[in-house]
Amino acid sequence: KKTLEGMTLTFEAKTTDKDTLYGSIGEKELVAELEKQAKISLDKKQLELKEAIKTVGKHKVAVKLADDVTAELKIEVKALAE
């Protein structure tokens, strides 16, 4: 829990001029990036993501680690420099 709450996953994605992503970042992308950046393996069912991330900025996602243990994962999405 401490490891998840102490980190921020950073994504760079192509955006429109209004800071909206072309596409989105969903559970599958979050799980893959968490594995890549922190060597933490989760099932996408553990992520409590109401809807895919579609905007630049900072976001928070709850991660259910056990029945009564939830961690908060910070996500930062930046516009991809072209």
Side-chain angles (χ1 to χ4, degrees):
K1 180 177 176 179
K2 273 187 177 178
T3 304
L4 283 175
E5 291 189 334
M7 67 183 303
T8 301
L9 279 185
T10 303
F11 288 85
E12 287 190 346
K14 285 189 173 184
T15 60
T16 66
D17 54 357
K18 295 188 171 111
D19 287 341
T20 303
L21 304 185
Y22 285 116
S24 62
I25 297 169
E27 288 134 341
K28 189 169 79 173
E29 292 80 10
L30 293 173
V31 168
E33 198 62 27
L34 197 55
E35 176 79 39
K36 187 172 129 188
Q37 287 187 25
K39 306 289 186 252
I40 296 174
S41 184
L42 292 176
D43 188 289
K44 66 181 186 177
K45 294 175 187 156
Q46 290 176 270
L47 299 176
E48 297 179 0
L49 185 63
K50 291 179 180 65
E51 59 183 42
I53 297 170
K54 297 180 181 180
T55 56
V56 169
K58 296 183 185 204
H59 306 271
K60 293 180 181 174
V61 177
V63 180
K64 191 168 186 162
L65 301 173
D67 285 343
D68 58 346
V69 181
T70 303
E72 187 175 79
L73 179 62
K74 296 175 200 76
I75 315 288
E76 184 171 4
V77 181
K78 297 179 179 179
L80 188 64
E82 292 186 25

